[in-house]
Amino acid sequence: MANTDAAFGAKPVRHLTGGTIRANEWKILGDGTSSSNIFTGDFVKLGATGYIDVAAAGNRLLGVFAGCSYTNSSGEQVYSKYYPASTTAQNSGDITAYVYDDPNIVFAIQSSGSADFADIGNLADIVAGTGSTTTGQSKFEINGTTGTGSANLRILGLYNEPKNAYGTNGVLEAVIWEHELIGHDQGTAGV
């Protein structure tokens, strides 16, 4: 059976230690200068200013974006599945972002290439995609090229869902390996 090519970003599916999956609050600079949309399921990074932004391969990752809230320039409270680029909050105030930032959260994410059983334990970078401004959903994927060198995510296996199999566009389970909040030795190779 062929897997469907339908990237959806990273979706939290379980916790390695049985803990509760929850999003924590971080901030997006609300002065209208951020030029990137951030969609639900996008990986985010922590910037030098303390604000978050969308991440790319090679960045240390803070977690996965789960929506945002802010007071717009008209004084209305807005809850959104994605952060629209260049949004200005009332009085240039901060925008509250919700981020799955626990290093023990396991995410389901579609492979941009062909994944197989031998990829378990290996590392792979994230691949950015253009999310939907209609649904607010990400199009991030995990790179189909895996290895034992340094990379954003560690593959744990195939995500258990109907009509999902190893191969092209298979949905995998992975944890963030290059995580901003923990001190993994970034020189540690994959299996």
Side-chain angles (χ1 to χ4, degrees):
M1 116 185 106
N3 295 311
T4 304
D5 185 6
F8 54 86
K11 175 176 74 171
V13 294
R14 64 186 176 93
H15 193 277
L16 279 176
T17 65
T20 302
I21 297 173
R22 74 181 100 220
N24 288 309
E25 293 182 2
W26 291 84
K27 298 296 181 184
I28 300 171
L29 186 58
D31 66 357
T33 59
S34 180
S35 61
S36 302
N37 290 328
I38 308 175
F39 297 96
T40 293
D42 279 0
F43 289 94
V44 293
K45 64 181 180 178
L46 183 60
T49 60
Y51 293 99
I52 67 161
D53 204 350
V54 68
N59 293 145
R60 287 184 57 82
L61 305 178
L62 175 63
V64 173
F65 187 79
C68 63
S69 65
Y70 57 94
T71 303
N72 68 15
S73 55
S74 302
E76 301 166 322
Q77 186 66 31
V78 176
Y79 294 92
S80 180
K81 289 185 175 187
Y82 83 102
Y83 164 75
S86 305
T87 295
T88 302
Q90 189 175 41
N91 302 321
S92 297
D94 293 340
I95 294 168
T96 300
Y98 306 100
V99 177
Y100 294 112
D101 60 2
D102 184 332
N104 289 311
I105 293 176
V106 177
F107 296 96
I109 185 166
Q110 179 179 284
S111 174
S112 66
S114 183
D116 61 35
F117 186 82
D119 289 321
I120 294 174
N122 279 342
L123 305 172
D125 277 322
I126 58 175
V127 177
T130 303
S132 168
T133 56
T134 302
T135 66
Q137 195 62 44
S138 173
K139 295 292 183 183
F140 266 70
E141 296 178 287
I142 186 171
N143 197 314
T145 303
T146 68
T148 59
S150 193
N152 298 125
L153 306 175
R154 180 179 292 277
I155 298 167
L156 301 180
L158 187 68
Y159 178 57
N160 186 12
E161 71 177 352
K163 300 183 181 181
N164 184 40
Y166 284 112
T168 304
N169 302 125
V171 177
L172 303 174
E173 284 192 347
V175 292
I176 297 174
W177 184 248
E178 294 177 329
H179 204 292
E180 192 64 50
L181 301 180
I182 58 174
H184 274 306
D185 175 5
Q186 297 306 313
T188 302
V191 227

